[in-house]
Amino acid sequence: MSRRNSAARRQILPKDDISTLRIIGGDWRSRKLPFPTIDGLRPTPDRVRETLFNWLQTSTPGAACLDLFCGSGALGFEALSRGAASVTFVDRAPEVVHQVRQNLNLLKAQNADVICAAVLDWLEMKQADQEARYDLVFLDPPFRQNLIKSAATLLETRNLLNSNALIYIETESDWQADGLPENWVLYREKTAGQVSYRLYQRDEPQSTISESDLSFAPHQ
């Protein structure tokens, strides 16, 4: 890293308040990005991200992605690195949003939006638009705040998902997977330490799911 980039990083956050994450794969593989060290902010662990994006290997390129409760932005950055068409990052913490924007600038990424808003409020106000629906959603809220059911319901009722969209949910290991939309079909799940993570596919009425269905054509 150049001295100029190092200096820029020091201007973004006080040294004692900086942590770093590492992008696992794709064009930006092994790049390290700073993020704020604040209570409750816990980037998805490297091992979990590696497993998740192995599951998503054929589905990430060309996907329109939504990273809710984005925190460090680890999942959204990983998706961009692996060929996602776009990522919308949403988080309510101004310092988090500021750093995600700085990191996008550092990577010279042009295909991302960053929204500073409470996620449930943003979803409630989001207008459904056929051209702006999402293929892949990362849903990784703060643990033990009962946010998943409400966020999942709004994603459906606001018509924000493309047919056969994939939804990743990361939770505390003892979370009970109930209250999700009935047409979200569990595809994979795994637990690593205190974290459980699941991948769902949004199923259309009267349709069936198969492993081959987990790929979708990139947006034109």
Side-chain angles (χ1 to χ4, degrees), residues 11-174:
Q11 292 172 4
I12 294 169
L13 291 168
K15 184 175 180 180
D16 291 344
D17 292 336
I18 293 175
S19 298
T20 59
L21 66 91
R22 180 175 65 90
I23 297 176
I24 302 299
D27 293 342
W28 301 326
R29 182 178 181 179
S30 298
R31 290 289 297 270
K32 292 184 178 180
L33 301 174
F35 67 90
T37 303
I38 58 178
D39 288 344
L41 199 164
R42 37 159 199 82
T44 300
D46 289 10
R47 181 175 59 169
V48 173
R49 272 186 286 143
E50 184 171 11
T51 299
L52 170 61
F53 282 93
N54 284 338
W55 294 348
L56 296 173
Q57 184 173 6
T58 62
S59 299
T60 303
C65 303
L66 177 61
D67 190 354
L68 297 175
F69 310 97
C70 69
S72 68
L75 295 172
F77 284 118
E78 198 74 50
L80 287 172
S81 182
R82 295 168 186 256
S86 64
V87 175
T88 299
F89 298 85
V90 186
D91 200 283
R92 70 182 305 167
E95 62 270 42
V96 162
V97 167
H98 175 75
Q99 192 60 48
V100 169
R101 288 176 175 149
Q102 293 287 345
N103 288 337
L104 288 167
N105 289 336
L106 181 66
L107 295 168
K108 298 181 172 59
Q110 302 297 317
N111 51 343
D113 293 317
V114 189
I115 309 297
C116 186
V119 166
L120 298 185
D121 292 344
W122 182 80
L123 289 172
E124 183 69 46
M125 297 189 315
K126 180 74 172 170
Q127 295 297 314
D129 183 343
Q130 181 67 41
E131 299 303 318
R133 293 179 185 169
Y134 299 99
D135 303 305
L136 177 56
V137 176
F138 303 110
L139 186 51
D140 180 17
F143 284 177
R144 305 189 187 284
Q145 294 190 24
N146 299 316
L147 295 167
I148 290 174
K149 180 180 178 180
S150 296
T153 299
L154 286 167
L155 285 167
E156 277 292 329
T157 59
R158 300 303 293 164
N159 201 25
L160 300 178
L161 302 175
N162 279 321
S163 56
N164 298 321
L166 299 172
I167 306 99
Y168 168 78
I169 297 179
E170 185 174 322
T171 67
E172 60 274 20
S173 59
D174 59 353

Side-chain angles (χ1 to χ4, degrees), residues 159-197:
N159 201 25
L160 300 178
L161 302 175
N162 279 321
S163 56
N164 298 321
L166 299 172
I167 306 99
Y168 168 78
I169 297 179
E170 185 174 322
T171 67
E172 60 274 20
S173 59
D174 59 353
W175 180 72
Q176 298 299 310
D178 54 13
L180 297 179
E182 292 183 359
N183 61 324
W184 288 18
V185 180
L186 180 63
Y187 170 60
R188 291 277 180 87
E189 64 180 332
K190 199 166 184 179
T191 298
Q194 298 302 308
V195 175
S196 287
Y197 51 108

